[in-house]
Amino acid sequence: MHARIIATLLLLGLGLPTGANAAGDPAAGEAIYNKTCKLCHASGMMSAPKLGDTAAWAPRIAKGEDALLASAISGLNKMPARGTCKDCSDDDLRNAIAYMVTHSK
């Protein structure tokens, strides 16, 4: 039964959530944040929005996690591509973003 549902979804072009489309995991993102994002996002260094600053994060959160991930991958303003985590996967970055978003609403 489940195979039929999956096949139907795929035929309809709906697909299933994958790493590229799934929401990040804030719990998994905490360690990545602490290791690579905290330097700038805790202090506001280089104009990074501070963790927990709801006013600074609101317009960013409104763009959605996919847009935030795209910015993290390519860099934005003073933030270099992939921030300070050159060895982070896209899923690692998505999880770190989910952590920051969760703590900045």
Side-chain angles (χ1 to χ4, degrees):
M1 179 71 169
H2 292 296
R4 272 192 200 167
I5 294 170
I6 291 169
T8 302
L9 289 172
L10 292 173
L11 285 173
L12 292 173
L14 300 176
L16 297 172
T18 64
N21 297 322
D25 178 2
E30 183 175 11
I32 298 159
Y33 168 81
N34 285 326
K35 179 181 175 188
T36 64
C37 309
K38 188 174 183 176
L39 177 66
C40 295
H41 286 284
S43 67
M45 185 184 327
M46 298 181 51
S47 303
K50 291 182 185 180
L51 183 71
D53 183 341
T54 56
W57 277 97
R60 293 165 171 89
I61 292 169
K63 293 178 183 180
E65 285 189 29
D66 287 337
L68 291 171
L69 177 61
S71 294
I73 290 170
S74 62
L76 182 66
N77 300 325
K78 295 178 184 177
M79 184 179 76
R82 297 197 167 289
T84 61
C85 192
K86 302 300 179 212
D87 61 342
C88 282
S89 69
D90 290 356
D91 284 338
D92 291 336
L93 293 174
R94 185 179 292 280
N95 291 337
I97 290 165
Y99 175 80
M100 289 186 278
V101 165
T102 297
H103 288 84
S104 300
K105 287 184 177 180

